[in-house]
Structures are given as C-alpha cells and as structure tokens.
C-alpha cells in the first residue's frame, strides 16, 4: 500500500493533485469562507464559458481535426458585444442584438475558416 501511494504521488497527476490539496488546505485556514456554497457557485459561474468551449472542441478533436481559432473567435465576440453595447446602450434589446451579431460574425468566419482548411489543408 505504501509503495502504491509513493508511486501515485510520484506521477505527474499525483503531484498536481497534491499541490491542489495543499493550496486548498492553506486557503481553508487563511479564508474561512473558502469552503462555502457561495464561493463554489462563484467559481463555477466564472469557468462556465471555458467548459462550453471545451465541449465544442471535443467534437473537433473527435473528427481528427484541431482548431486554434476558438480563443480568437471568443475574443471577437466579446469585442463585438462590447462595441455594440457601448454605442447603443446596455438594455436587454441592445444586448440581444449584439449577441446575435456576434454569433453571426463567428459563424460566418468559422465557415470561411472551415472552407479554407478543407480546401488548402
């Protein structure tokens, strides 16, 4: 049993999990609100967009491709929404319009990128 624990902690994943456990223990002592429902909810809300993008990338990888443009497409969408809402206000209608424009721009550029990738390899 001792050898198995030493072998696990010696692996890359074991080291990462150990470091994460140490950080969580230190944070629990330094900040009592660390292990609260509100903190976990806040963390999950902040990383949700990365989970959604990872789900999209799974399909690309499963068909044997790779796509490095997901970050730039995300940034483009954010810039379009920011520019539209700053010039047209922050109301619900303005945000919905900005969202539709950003999605349309990402779809059009994604299609162009896909055609170039398929034709030029």
């Amino acid at each position: 049993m001792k050898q198995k624990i030493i072998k696990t902690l010696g692996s890359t994943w074991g080291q990462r999990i150990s470091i994460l456990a140490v950080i969580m223990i230190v944070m629990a002592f330094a900040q009592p609100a660390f292990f609260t429902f509100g903190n976990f909810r806040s963390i999950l809300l902040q990383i949700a967009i990365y989970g959604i993008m990872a789900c999209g990338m799974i399909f690309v990888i499963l068909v044997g491709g790779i796509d490095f443009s997901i970050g730039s497409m995300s940034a483009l969408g954010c810039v379009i929404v920011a520019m539209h809402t700053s010039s047209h206000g922050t109301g619900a209608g303005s945000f919905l319009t900005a969202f539709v424009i950003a999605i349309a721009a990402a779809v059009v550029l994604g299609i162009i990128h896909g055609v170039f990738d398929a034709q030029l390899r």
Side-chain angles (χ1 to χ4, degrees):
M1 181 71 169
K2 183 179 178 183
Q3 294 295 336
K4 188 174 181 179
I5 293 172
I6 291 172
K7 184 179 178 183
T8 302
L9 291 177
S11 70
T12 304
W13 282 104
Q15 292 171 354
R16 291 175 183 166
I17 291 171
S18 300
I19 291 170
L20 181 62
V22 168
I23 290 171
M24 290 180 73
I25 291 169
V26 169
M27 290 305 298
F29 284 114
Q31 182 58 258
F34 182 72
F35 281 119
T36 61
F37 175 75
N39 187 43
F40 285 126
R41 182 177 181 269
S42 175
I43 291 170
L44 289 175
L45 286 173
Q46 291 176 13
I47 65 168
I49 187 67
Y50 300 112
I52 293 168
M53 289 191 301
C55 289
M57 286 303 296
I58 286 172
F59 293 113
V60 173
I61 293 170
L62 284 176
V63 298
I66 186 122
D67 185 12
F68 293 119
S69 68
I70 190 166
S72 57
M73 289 293 186
S74 174
L76 173 71
C78 291
V79 168
I80 289 173
V81 169
M83 289 178 66
H84 188 273
T85 54
S86 68
S87 64
H88 293 90
T90 57
S94 176
F95 182 74
L96 184 61
T97 305
F99 182 74
V100 169
I101 293 170
I103 294 293
V107 166
V108 168
L109 289 175
I111 289 171
I112 293 170
H113 182 263
V115 168
F116 280 140
D117 187 42
Q119 295 298 322
L120 302 176
R121 259 292 138 195

